Amino acid sequence: MGYVQLGYKPSKRDMVCEFSLEPANGYTARQAAEHVASESSVGTWTDVATMKPSIMRIAAKVFEIKGRWVKIAYPADLFEPGNMPQILSSIAGNIFGMKMVGNLRLESIHWPRKLMESFKGPLHGIPGVRRMLRVSKRPLTGTIVKPKVGLDEHEHAMVAYDAWSGGLDIVKDDENLSSMGFNRFEERVVETLKLRDKAERETGDRKMYMPNVTAECREMLKRARFVRDHGGEYIMVDIVTAGWSGLQTLRDENEDLKLVLHAHRAGHAAFTRNPMHGISMLVVAECSRLIGVDQIHIGTVVGKMHGSKHDVIDIGEEIEHRVIKEHGHVLSDDWRGIKPVFAVCSGGLHPGHVPKLVEILGPDIICQFGGGCHGHPKGTRSGAMAIRQAVDAAMLGIDLKEHAKDNDELRLALKKWR
Ligand code: CAP
Ligand code: MG
């Protein structure tokens, strides 16, 4: 078929993908890899009379097979610059369903300059977010209003106000809160931003509210504009359920809106969690940085969600560093002028987790606590205070238990959750 050229040296203009591939019974790794390369570029299951030799110039080439690890080079001309759906329909499309493939996982992508430069990248990135919040060093702290859904607009705003008053920087909507009968989007935004302004006046600190705009594309744009017109600086979007096209549309509009774009990844584990089949969260994070989110959930290692230390660190580096050197099954990348994206750690966290989080991922993270804030024995405000006390201790290198002796909110949190 001509799609296997072991020893081929990818050109600078090639995209390179690393897959983990297990052939189905009865097929060799080479046979399966060849069909993956064919199906993800120009071919199909059989030769066709309509094929022309010249078309093979944009065909994929399998150039390395080491056990289950396969590297495939794709000529950049196979892809439409700036079109993430089309790129992923090629390298992450039909191939997962081929009968010749037992298991297949897209682990990592090396992006050629031509494609990297065809996307906008983050508008603010880490520097912009830190400037906006006027917090230069420590991790940013946030909460998610809980219960996830069910509060009315005023109750939602009051929970947010308590969290800001207790010292948190950011309050976000939960991933499944949009605009329901019991909590309309517009009313929630107006009420919550009003109390955000009150909390800013009373604390003297910047406070951010992240309304969830996830909806049909046109509605998302309308909601994003509504947030901007009512004094908001942030929006969040569920990038998996809204889709790559939705995210690109929102990012394009954001050239004008100038909002901070927070990427929630609800649903990612349907295809990222299985280590043998699907798409890695690393790839999801790379695509999100290219399109231009300012912050994205990457996992916590210590919280309630699946995600190994090794994987979470790799994702954190991929979205925050400029140059990625090839290591393990992470391909190299040079992000050049594309801004770094803030890593968001969220899911099952409480103040007792903060030192470990900072130890594993460093201070350039946003730590979010839902239950770990509103579940505090003395309520949201004290939960927020306990979180800030834990962050202060971690930044000063003080043992939490020691610090808790003089900080009762932290003491009570550790007593309940440690
Ligand atoms: C966390 C959360 C977030 C998860 C998402 C939730 O709440 O609001 O959506 O963190 O997971 O609904 O579970 P808790 P991830 O703090 O109460 O757990 O960040 O892994 O995408
Ligand atoms: Mg949530």
Side-chain angles (χ1 to χ4, degrees), residues 127-159:
V129 169
R130 282 198 175 280
R131 239 191 332 273
M132 197 178 279
L133 273 155
R134 297 202 296 261
V135 175
S136 56
K137 292 261 179 302
R138 65 170 169 79
L140 299 182
T141 58
T143 188
I144 310 98
V145 173
K146 302 284 179 180
K148 295 177 95 91
V149 293
L151 298 178
D152 67 25
E153 298 88 348
H154 182 67
E155 291 162 339
H156 181 100
M158 285 306 292
V159 170

Side-chain angles (χ1 to χ4, degrees), residues 7-77:
Y8 166 75
K9 289 268 170 287
S11 89
K12 277 204 167 57
R13 287 176 41 80
D14 286 344
M15 170 194 274
V16 176
C17 291
E18 171 139 2
F19 292 92
S20 157
L21 164 61
E22 289 182 325
N25 291 339
Y27 295 99
T28 65
R30 181 188 170 110
Q31 285 170 322
E34 177 137 52
H35 279 265
V36 166
S38 158
E39 186 65 40
S40 59
S41 60
V42 300
T44 186
W45 62 278
T46 179
D47 58 320
V48 292
T50 45
M51 176 52 100
K52 297 188 307 179
S54 61
I55 293 175
M56 287 306 282
R57 69 176 182 77
I58 54 171
K61 300 171 189 67
V62 178
F63 65 93
E64 192 179 289
I65 303 176
K66 284 182 181 166
R68 75 173 213 253
W69 303 102
V70 173
K71 285 184 184 170
I72 299 180
Y74 293 84
D77 290 351

